[in-house]
Amino acid sequence: MARLFISYRRKDSSGYAQTLHEDLLQAFPGMEVFRDLESIAAGEDFVDAIERELDRCNVVLVLVGPHWLSMTDAQGKRRLDNPNDPVRMEIARALTRRGVRVIPVLVGGAVMPDAAELPEELSALGRRNAHEMTDKRWQYDFGELCGVLEKLPGMPMRSTASDSTTHSSSNKNAAGDDDLPLPESFKKPVGRVIGAARKLVWGVGIFFTFIIVVAIFVGEEETTPQPAPAPAPFAADDPAPAPVAPVAPVAVATLPAPAAPAPEPERDLTGNWTMVDAQGERIPLTLTRQGNDLTLRSPRINVTQHPVWQVYNAVLIQTYGQGVTDIHFEGAGEAYERDVNFALNIFANGNVMINTGSLSLRVANSSTMTGTLRYNSGETSVVTVSRSSGAAAN
């Protein structure tokens, strides 16, 4: 059986690794995909398991994220410069094996490092042609990657029983009595429908914004005050102003230099938050943090309570004669310093996956994060995520 190994840094690209892992299993049912979190049993020696899998695999995908090259350890030294760094050991071993294709995969807007920026034993990686996976074109880029993989010796062909650019919901729980699973013919075009719905809402918003700006401009023109007339000069017979006595200098006390601020404690992101996008759509979120690993989940959102999803649902009903009752988000990711990144899955009617995407945030303070929400069907929105109170997502 063909085997594929995904090499990645958890603090750099764990969300992308999870999404890619699931997509590969869907596209190549007859292939084993190794990813440490999913593939190493409890109590098993980590190094032994990694080396064993590398000796058996046909392909190694090296995920290179924006912090992959510069990531440092607790002493401030670059991790790649440590000969015992697990990622360095994985790649070095893979590069020495004959018959193994090592493919750098760029995610999160990363660029391929030059060979001179890498340790000597990894310099060959810098000469490999990289494959870029963008958030906006994830489905297309994944299809191109599959086309490369299936041409390699020993690799299987893509499954023709499923769409390789769409996640499967087979690994989710069965639907409850109130769930209405959608047919495959309905799920495939959902991404395009979401895009059309959001573009419609964006267009309406831009139109009204233009009207408001014009109104403000016209109002300012009408109410601009006229400048006051200059004061008349003194007449010749006006009394001269009395001289002003000089003021003695006043000694100014020297203030002590402000004390250096105390180091900021690590933020606990666990709790309830509310995400607001550019259209004003509000999505309640529950975040759970363990170390640097994060999970995200929203409650099941009734589509009638959100304008964007209302438009989306109306298009679905008109086009396919069937709509959805609710939407919810699930995600997994990591926090690195002030950066928080999630890989997202979007579900309808409980367990029918209709889209994927990513959420990239920057922590502003203990109660606010800002960033970008990207759907792999092509839409992007600026979002603000604020801490809130209330029941956890169900």
Side-chain angles (χ1 to χ4, degrees):
M1 177 180 289
R3 291 180 172 85
L4 183 145
F5 187 102
I6 300 177
S7 172
Y8 69 101
R9 288 198 183 279
R10 296 187 185 182
K11 292 185 179 180
D12 178 59
S13 55
S14 65
Y16 292 103
Q18 176 191 354
T19 301
L20 184 59
H21 182 241
E22 294 174 356
D23 286 349
L24 287 168
L25 291 177
Q26 169 70 12
F28 298 96
M31 180 175 67
E32 289 188 5
V33 181
F34 180 90
R35 184 171 67 98
D36 56 355
L37 289 177
E38 299 289 338
S39 309
I40 299 179
E44 188 173 7
D45 187 280
F46 181 84
V47 175
D48 290 346
I50 294 292
E51 292 181 350
R52 182 179 65 252
E53 291 299 325
L54 283 170
D55 290 339
R56 299 165 60 192
C57 69
N58 305 79
V59 179
V60 175
L61 300 182
V62 180
L63 266 61
V64 178
H67 305 292
W68 182 86
L69 183 66
S70 59
M71 193 80 70
T72 58
D73 58 19
Q75 288 73 41
K77 298 180 180 179
R78 195 174 71 153
R79 291 190 176 184
L80 277 180
D81 294 328
N82 182 359
N84 295 320
D85 174 56
V87 172
R88 173 173 170 173
M89 295 171 63
E90 291 172 1
I91 301 171
R93 189 177 185 91
L95 290 171
T96 59
R97 289 202 55 228
R98 299 185 62 180
V100 175
R101 177 67 66 92
V102 180
I103 303 176
V105 178
L106 307 179
V107 297
V111 296
M112 187 63 193
D114 295 330
E117 298 178 280
L118 301 171
E120 179 64 27
E121 62 180 348
L122 302 188
S123 60
L125 181 70
R127 300 191 294 269
R128 302 292 175 103
N129 189 30
H131 182 83
E132 185 176 13
M133 302 281 288
T134 60
D135 293 344
K136 189 172 183 179
R137 302 192 314 165
W138 181 274
Q139 295 175 350
Y140 174 81
D141 293 336
F142 177 72
E144 293 293 297
L145 177 63
C146 290
V148 173
L149 294 177
E150 62 186 358
K151 295 177 182 178
L152 299 178
M155 296 294 290
M157 299 296 291
R158 267 179 288 186
S159 171
T160 58
S162 62
D163 185 345
S164 63
T165 63
T166 305
H167 283 285
S168 170
S169 61
S170 59
N171 62 333
K172 301 295 178 182
N173 295 330
D177 294 337
D178 58 340
D179 293 324
L180 299 174
L182 309 180
E184 290 295 327
S185 61
F186 174 71
K187 289 190 287 182
K188 293 177 182 178
V190 159
R192 294 191 294 271
V193 175
I194 295 176
R198 287 186 173 268
K199 289 176 183 176
L200 175 61
V201 175
W202 265 103
V204 173
I206 292 173
F207 173 76
F208 281 107
T209 301
F210 174 76
I211 296 299
I212 293 171
V213 170
V214 171
I216 293 174
F217 178 78
V218 172
E220 289 181 349
E221 287 290 331
E222 294 177 350
T223 59
T224 301
Q226 297 297 323
F234 283 108
D237 57 352
D238 286 343
V244 179
V247 179
V250 178
V252 179
T254 302
L255 299 177
E264 189 175 13
E266 180 181 6
R267 293 183 177 86
D268 182 10
L269 302 179
T270 298
N272 297 319
W273 300 74
T274 300
M275 178 174 67
V276 182
D277 66 13
Q279 292 82 35
E281 181 179 355
R282 303 174 67 85
I283 306 292
L285 300 175
T286 296
L287 272 58
T288 304
R289 178 171 183 172
Q290 293 183 345
N292 288 318
D293 296 326
L294 292 164
T295 59
L296 170 154
R297 184 178 177 88
S298 78
R300 294 171 61 171
I301 304 160
N302 190 316
V303 295
T304 62
Q305 299 175 359
H306 294 270
V308 170
W309 296 112
Q310 279 182 317
V311 176
Y312 153 66
N313 196 42
V315 174
L316 290 179
I317 295 174
Q318 181 179 0
T319 306
Y320 304 102
Q322 183 179 7
V324 298
T325 59
D326 58 76
I327 301 289
H328 80 272
F329 293 71
E330 295 181 11
E334 285 191 336
Y336 176 69
E337 295 181 349
R338 288 180 174 266
D339 295 323
V340 181
N341 297 288
F342 290 96
L344 296 179
N345 296 324
I346 299 92
F347 297 89
N349 296 349
N351 72 332
V352 181
M353 186 180 293
I354 61 171
N355 208 344
T356 59
S358 64
L359 178 61
S360 302
L361 299 171
R362 180 79 170 175
V363 177
N365 50 53
S366 60
S367 60
T368 306
M369 297 182 283
T370 58
T372 304
L373 171 65
R374 296 181 178 89
Y375 293 97
N376 289 338
S377 52
E379 306 80 47
T380 301
S381 179
V382 176
V383 297
T384 299
V385 181
S386 304
R387 192 179 290 276
S388 59
S389 59
N394 50 31

